Amino acid sequence: MHLLLLGISHRTAPVEVRERIDFQARGLETALHALASRHAAAEAVIVSTCNRAELYAVCEDVAATREALKTFVSEYHGLERDAVSPHIYGQVDLEAARHLFRVAAGLDSLVVGEPQILGQVKEAHNAAGAAHTAGTLLNRLFHASFGVGKRVRTETGLGSGAVSVSFAAVSLAKKIFGDLKGLNVLVIGAGEMGKLTALHMKSQGVSQVTIVSRTMAHAARTAEAIGGAAAAPMEELDALLGRADIVITATGAATAVLTRSHIETVMRPRRNRPLFLIDIAMPRDVEASAGDIEQVFLYNIDDLQATVRENLARRASEVTRAETIVNEEVDKFGQWLRSRNAVPTVVALRQHFEHVRRSELDRLASSLPPETRARVEDITRLVIEKLLLTPTEQLKAATDQDLSTSYADALTRLFGLETKPAAHEHTHHEDRSQRRDRKVEPFVRPGPR
């Protein structure tokens, strides 16, 4: 079985493509059930954030599964396959594991070291658990990625300080205005991203931070959590836009919250006073053409790339240490993966030796007194264990190339073994009593929802 990754991210696709490939829109479990119904892979997890959409799958035929996943991505989102394919990247086996480890560590994020991604990776794994699409291999892979994220955060300074997209938005505002003191800031969106942005703005000494949300109670709770911020209902948006110097949008809306015509209306009474819009939502909250209006300066999440590059330069030494941790954990995962691949041969070898031992004991049974037979049982079992110790260790330490061309094949031919896939190849993450009670399919088909 192989591990396959297919995805798009801020490194390969512009924002207008990424915002259309959003598995969170209908829920990760719904997307996983849709994928499961196609029987494209034995296991699957979908990681979907504002800057990436990645599918991790376990399969036998990499080429066929790659094509099936590409088709799924395009059809699920109603996009032409040719419009999606140029932006898709893929990795196999340990390189796929390395990619996930770097994602969990914050090394592949728009803002290197940002802390939110590890929680999003955990959320993706939880969704796969709820949808019954994560099995032995992906459970091990994702738990290993959690360990990588934790190590990077505790053993390096990569995550120190404010390194979120919210902070990058504030950094952009400071480049525009210099000192932010005395400015009026409007944050549209009372979720975590809006809250973090408001906190960063408040720390810069702005005159006023106002939180606007469709749900007034939600806006009020967020304002209270920040301390010193005001809350307002969406009905007051036009008046607040008229007074704001900086507007940061971070809602979860499926369509634009601020259209070009809306901004044109707001700008008329401002008398050429500039309005700076920073759209950090995905999908975007502000129509792109709004940036063409005179005295309107619109920036979206892709415009934060310059801030990211500066962040990366400052953290170069920490990135190196984090990459070393990733390499160490990839090696550990590779050892586990190789030992798992060796299981069929190890099992077949033990079964072969045990068959020979039992056959000889049965042949001698009539000539051995009971007490002698019991002693011979113990001695022969111990001899078998010692004979198998070195071959077992060699198999588990062998590389994938070794397993396919030398050790496993040599043992199979030498002893006439018949190896079968390990029993756990297609089982899901459940306790042993459950596995004894029922047969588990590669995917649990989605039931009525």
Side-chain angles (χ1 to χ4, degrees):
M1 300 297 282
H2 293 281
L3 174 63
L4 173 65
L5 154 69
L6 228 67
I8 70 161
S9 76
H10 59 94
R11 297 185 184 279
T12 65
V15 63
E16 55 266 23
V17 174
R18 299 200 308 274
E19 66 186 1
R20 298 186 68 186
I21 303 178
D22 179 11
F23 289 102
Q24 289 280 11
R26 284 180 274 174
L28 290 179
E29 284 189 54
T30 300
L32 287 164
H33 283 307
L35 178 57
S37 68
R38 296 176 178 236
H39 306 287
E43 303 178 30
V45 175
I46 296 176
V47 176
S48 183
T49 73
C50 61
N51 285 317
R52 72 182 65 250
E54 296 179 340
L55 284 69
Y56 293 84
V58 174
C59 62
E60 292 185 356
D61 188 331
V62 170
T65 303
R66 182 185 288 114
E67 294 307 306
L69 294 182
K70 285 182 179 180
T71 299
F72 168 72
V73 170
S74 61
E75 292 181 353
Y76 188 77
H77 296 289
L79 301 171
E80 291 292 332
R81 179 171 161 139
D82 290 344
V84 176
S85 292
H87 304 289
I88 291 179
Y89 52 84
Q91 297 290 353
V92 178
D93 295 334
L94 288 186
E95 288 309 307
R98 183 185 306 280
H99 180 87
L100 178 61
F101 291 176
R102 295 187 77 254
V103 168
L107 287 166
D108 196 59
S109 296
L110 180 65
V111 178
V112 174
E114 60 94 1
Q116 284 85 10
I117 186 62
L118 182 58
Q120 292 166 327
V121 171
K122 290 181 178 180
E123 178 188 353
H125 180 252
N126 289 339
H132 304 291
T133 62
T136 304
L137 200 159
L138 289 185
N139 283 330
R140 182 69 177 242
L141 173 70
F142 273 77
H143 281 290
S145 77
F146 305 157
V148 174
K150 183 177 180 180
R151 280 195 64 189
V152 168
R153 279 156 180 73
T154 57
E155 297 178 27
T156 77
L158 193 69
S160 62
V163 290
S164 65
V165 169
S166 304
F167 180 73
V170 175
S171 298
L172 177 58
K174 290 177 69 175
K175 286 186 176 181
I176 295 168
F177 289 98
D179 190 354
L180 301 185
K181 291 180 180 178
L183 296 181
N184 203 335
V185 177
L186 174 63
V187 180
I188 305 175
E192 190 64 23
M193 188 71 78
K195 177 182 174 180
L196 287 172
T197 306
L199 280 168
H200 288 313
M201 284 290 181
K202 188 171 181 294
S203 70
Q204 299 301 314
V206 298
S207 175
Q208 178 67 54
V209 175
T210 304
I211 310 295
V212 174
S213 175
R214 294 190 184 278
T215 305
M216 182 58 189
H218 195 183
R221 284 195 299 271
T222 301
E224 183 180 359
I226 294 169
M234 193 63 76
E235 291 75 16
E236 297 180 14
L237 181 59
D238 285 0
L240 292 168
L241 285 169
R243 295 193 296 268
D245 298 296
I246 301 171
V247 178
I248 297 180
T249 65
T251 79
T255 58
V257 175
L258 300 178
T259 63
R260 178 184 177 121
S261 61
H262 192 174
I263 299 299
E264 285 176 335
T265 300
V266 168
M267 290 300 294
R268 290 190 187 106
R270 290 177 66 94
R271 298 180 180 178
N272 291 324
R273 186 161 60 91
L275 177 63
F276 288 83
L277 298 168
I278 303 176
D279 186 355
I280 57 176
M282 180 63 65
R284 288 172 291 180
D285 279 333
V286 185
E287 280 189 355
S289 60
D292 298 332
I293 301 171
E294 189 174 356
Q295 293 299 308
V296 172
F297 302 88
L298 173 62
Y299 298 83
N300 64 37
I301 202 165
D302 282 356
D303 296 318
L304 303 178
Q305 287 284 9
T307 300
V308 174
R309 287 192 290 269
E310 292 176 8
N311 179 286
L312 181 59
R314 291 194 302 270
R315 296 163 181 263
S317 62
E318 300 304 313
V319 168
T320 300
R321 174 59 186 143
E323 295 284 10
T324 299
I325 292 173
V326 168
N327 291 338
E328 292 171 357
E329 296 298 329
V330 169
D331 288 343
K332 291 179 184 177
F333 183 76
Q335 291 172 7
W336 174 82
L337 198 60
R338 288 191 292 273
S339 69
R340 183 174 183 269
N341 290 338
V343 166
T345 303
V346 171
V347 170
L349 192 61
R350 287 184 173 277
Q351 289 176 340
H352 176 76
F353 273 48
E354 179 62 16
H355 175 72
V356 172
R357 188 182 77 87
R358 298 302 309 178
S359 296
E360 291 304 307
L361 284 175
D362 291 344
R363 186 174 63 83
L364 296 172
S366 60
S367 62
L368 294 175
E371 62 275 11
T372 302
R373 180 182 172 88
R375 180 61 176 157
V376 172
E377 280 267 8
D378 292 339
I379 291 173
T380 54
R381 187 177 292 109
L382 181 61
V383 169
I384 293 298
E385 287 298 322
K386 289 191 174 183
L387 286 173
L388 287 173
L389 180 61
T390 299
T392 298
E393 290 178 346
Q394 290 293 325
L395 277 168
K396 290 184 176 181
T399 64
D400 293 335
Q401 182 68 17
D402 290 334
L403 288 173
S404 63
T405 62
S406 56
Y407 293 123
D409 286 351
L411 287 171
T412 299
R413 292 195 301 271
L414 186 61
F415 292 101
L417 306 178
E418 292 185 5
T419 61
K420 297 180 180 180
H424 58 245
E425 284 288 357
H426 300 298
T427 56
H428 296 296
H429 189 60
E430 53 188 6
D431 62 38
R432 292 178 180 175
S433 63
Q434 288 176 302
R435 288 204 289 264
R436 284 196 299 267
D437 292 340
R438 66 180 178 86
K439 180 181 178 182
V440 182
E441 296 291 333
F443 262 135
V444 176
R445 296 187 180 183
R449 295 185 64 80

